[in-house]
Amino acid sequence: MRLLLMGAPGSGKGTQATAISKRYGIPAISTGNMFRAAVASGTALGHQVSELLAAGLLVPDVVTDQVVAERLVEPDAVDGWLLDGYPRTLGQVSALQACMAHHGVALDGVLAIIVPTEELLKRLLLRADIEDRADDTAETITRRLAVYHEQTEPVIEQYAASGFVVRVDGVGSVAEVATRIATVLDPLTESAV
Ligand code: ADP
């Protein structure tokens, strides 16, 4: 099964990506996690992206597209994957399409977790107190939400126009949202197998 998981910063997509990955036995591939890991281990990629991440700005498409294309050919991703946080721009949509066409594979679905902006802000500010993420400051949070609105919502609209998007209410406990997602995805897995 090949899925995209879309959602604003603070929508809980990282948490739900882990749950989906376990339930369906596919790797959850998070561009945010890959970039943070690169920064933490001080690789050339890490040096290239650390300031952008800390500022809440997107990494250029050309860099992100290559990171994803390389990840998708790893052995664990041959039979399926869940992309968390990619594609985030219309340019990345085209790159992913080209990459998938090259490998002769197709998407099974696009899942969007929907959470109202006030709730997102509340969650992100709370997380800023708990975790030590460089991009969880009030200023950066506002920027990431604006970037999401400007660049990523059009991506959801584009997939929605081709009838691909399933929207799931992201307000509630982690378990509640996970159940809503499973209700949507279980039938898809049956048809994908
Ligand atoms: P969030 O959804 O909370 O912003 P992520 O972990 O998905 O968290 O992303 C963190 C940061 O990593 C982004 O603000 C951006 O700088 C970078 N990033 C992640 N995915 C992408 C992407 N697809 N394109 C460009 N930059 C990305």
Side-chain angles (χ1 to χ4, degrees), residues 159-188:
Y159 282 118
S162 23
F164 245 122
V165 177
V166 180
R167 290 182 166 87
V168 173
D169 178 8
V171 180
S173 70
V174 169
E176 278 165 353
V177 178
T179 303
R180 283 177 207 145
I181 291 177
T183 306
V184 170
L185 290 185
D186 282 356
L188 272 187

